[in-house]
Amino acid sequence: LPDLKTVIIDRVGSRRAFPARVPVAVAALNEHYRISRGDVSRVAGRKAQLVVLEPKDSLRYGHQLWADVESGLLLKARLVDTNGELIEQFAFNEIRIGDDVDPALLRQKFAVADDWQTVDAKGDDANGAAAAWQVGDMLPGYRLVSTVRRSVGVQGQSVLHMVLSDGM
């Protein structure tokens, strides 16, 4: 966060990081979403296949995903409400796949000086009794995917971060 002169470090450790967080059992999504193909269009100058996940209930949002036809890379994603209204979106506007990367593009852009602060956001897995919290009746299709205990704030107060997901 260059404007705040702050560097946040979060090591994934044993937690799964992207792209490993992509649903393992995509077929299981059929239980709660109607999955269909949309049109092929262009995103970031590349041919992209639209995949639509329409929720079968009112407990979840819809997803519109554009994947690169050649590589399968997700180029654009939209989260939509029950009326199809946009809630959130991300998209690449320029991308090159398979090209050599100029090492100059990977150089650090900001000089970290003594007036910068480093925040270690690394958490520790907190499963079972270590969590001290248990999730009761969950919504259909949702499961607990991660429980992490970390210190936050000036006094380093301990917080528990629990992530539940239906696979999306």
Side-chain angles (χ1 to χ4, degrees):
L1 305 171
D3 291 343
L4 300 175
K5 294 188 175 186
T6 301
V7 175
I8 299 174
I9 300 170
D10 185 7
R11 292 171 210 86
V12 174
S14 64
R15 298 186 319 254
R16 290 178 19 166
F18 183 83
R21 283 193 187 265
V22 173
V24 176
V26 176
L29 295 174
N30 280 325
E31 187 175 343
H32 300 286
Y33 294 93
R34 280 182 285 284
I35 303 172
S36 62
R37 277 187 197 210
D39 294 334
V40 173
S41 59
R42 296 196 75 72
V43 177
R46 298 186 60 91
K47 286 175 69 174
Q49 173 67 59
L50 170 61
V51 177
V52 178
L53 287 89
E54 182 184 351
K56 293 180 178 178
D57 57 33
S58 61
L59 302 174
R60 53 201 96 232
Y61 293 118
H63 299 268
Q64 300 168 348
L65 310 170
W66 285 262
D68 181 74
V69 169
E70 289 181 28
S71 68
L73 178 67
L74 184 62
L75 298 175
K76 180 177 177 178
R78 285 183 177 165
L79 184 67
V80 296
D81 66 15
T82 54
N83 298 320
E85 295 293 321
L86 182 65
I87 296 172
E88 169 180 283
Q89 171 177 276
F90 83 83
F92 287 101
N93 59 16
E94 180 182 341
I95 190 164
R96 290 179 304 209
I97 298 174
D99 290 350
D100 290 333
V101 176
D102 179 359
L105 295 173
L106 302 176
R107 286 196 195 108
Q108 183 173 316
K109 292 182 181 181
F110 303 99
V112 179
D114 291 339
D115 61 342
W116 281 62
Q117 69 173 355
T118 301
V119 175
D120 188 352
K122 179 189 178 293
D124 296 313
D125 287 336
N127 296 321
W133 283 83
Q134 298 295 319
V135 179
D137 295 332
M138 282 194 248
L139 294 172
Y142 284 84
R143 65 183 178 82
L144 182 64
V145 295
S146 174
T147 305
V148 177
R149 183 172 302 286
R150 63 181 78 211
S151 298
V152 298
V154 178
Q155 275 111 24
Q157 295 172 322
S158 178
V159 298
L160 190 65
H161 180 201
M162 300 173 87
V163 178
L164 295 104
S165 175
D166 69 350
M168 282 306 296

